[in-house]
Amino acid sequence: MQKNYRVGLIVPSSNTTMETEIPAMLNSRKEWFPEESFTFHSSRMRMLHVTKEELKKMDLDSDRCAIELSDAKCDVLAYACLIAIMSQGSGYHVSSEDRLCQVVKGNKSIAPVVSSAGALIEGIKEIGAKKVSIITPYMKPLTNMVIEYLNTSGIEVIDSISLEVSDNLEVGRLDPMNLVKHARNLNTNGADAVVLSACVQMPSLPAIQIVEDEIGLPVLSAATSTVYQILKNLGLKPVVPNAGRLLATEKSVISK
């Protein structure tokens, strides 16, 4: 029996990547699961530059977005801005997800809410990784916030590369294949996994499997982690072809 799932995306107004990478991953499952189909529905929060001040102001709009998407009776909602959550302080993804779930319930919807920030943490833990190396498009102070957030979540960051692009539209225009070269400059000694893009706006999907095959470590991103949580919350098998270990058909968990 054919089943359609409505995926709601809460995105920054200048985000151009989540509405391409998430559909690409979910639609690529068609060969394996022909009975599934997905539609995608977005609501936007105003943000042009990736600064702590703009991120905090933008986050206030997330409640409105959740209400709008619950009007459409989406089956799952994804808050697709990692740094907006992580810049608010340790553990904020939990309170944000809980608050948005209550907002949705208040609008007579039962859609679960996931965040890319919480999804990345859960994705790292799902593959058994405790130490990671990361690449971000952010200015270094914001990358440091990501590192601190991961550290307080029990994940040690071995090394990081900040591409220092503050204009969010320019982040979306970055060539994902350049991440192959950047990953070669990343110190992965002692790391259990690599976060190729700790940002849902920085395109990375075409490079994830290539980098994973080259370095021999699990490679994930904020976007692949978000898709993993979307599928789990829909009660679907969390697998996507050529999207790294987290979404592989057979996962090998790192044992420590």
Side-chain angles (χ1 to χ4, degrees), residues 70-159:
S70 60
D71 284 345
K73 301 304 178 190
C74 291
D75 296 297
V76 62
L77 272 58
Y79 186 137
C81 186
L82 178 138
I83 191 60
I85 296 288
M86 291 192 175
S87 66
Q88 306 300 317
S90 176
Y92 183 68
H93 70 279
V94 176
S95 58
S96 173
E97 290 170 8
D98 288 347
R99 188 188 74 249
L100 293 175
C101 278
Q102 291 304 313
V103 167
V104 167
K105 286 180 181 177
N107 200 31
K108 299 180 180 179
S109 172
I110 58 171
V113 179
V114 304
S115 70
S116 53
L120 181 60
I121 292 167
E122 292 305 313
I124 292 169
K125 293 181 177 180
E126 177 67 25
I127 58 174
K130 296 181 179 178
K131 300 179 181 181
V132 300
S133 296
I134 69 173
I135 300 176
T136 86
Y138 310 130
M139 306 302 286
K140 287 183 180 179
L142 287 179
T143 298
N144 290 336
M145 290 181 186
V146 174
I147 293 171
E148 182 179 357
Y149 202 96
L150 292 176
N151 287 344
T152 58
S153 299
I155 299 163
E156 180 182 347
V157 177
I158 298 293
D159 190 27

Side-chain angles (χ1 to χ4, degrees), residues 22-33 35-36 38 126 205 209 224-233 235-251:
I22 286 184
M25 282 185 269
L26 293 178
N27 289 330
S28 71
R29 295 161 48 87
K30 196 70 175 176
E31 183 177 348
W32 294 344
F33 307 102
E35 73 281 3
E36 296 175 5
F38 300 90
E126 177 67 25
L205 183 58
Q209 196 65 54
T224 62
S225 300
T226 301
V227 165
Y228 183 88
Q229 289 300 322
I230 286 172
L231 290 168
K232 279 190 66 177
N233 277 276
L236 303 175
K237 193 171 182 179
V239 295
V240 171
N242 299 312
R245 182 85 55 87
L246 178 63
L247 291 165
T249 52
E250 294 184 8
K251 301 174 182 63

Side-chain angles (χ1 to χ4, degrees), residues 213-225:
D213 292 344
E214 182 172 305
I215 67 176
L217 290 173
V219 175
L220 67 166
S221 71
T224 62
S225 300

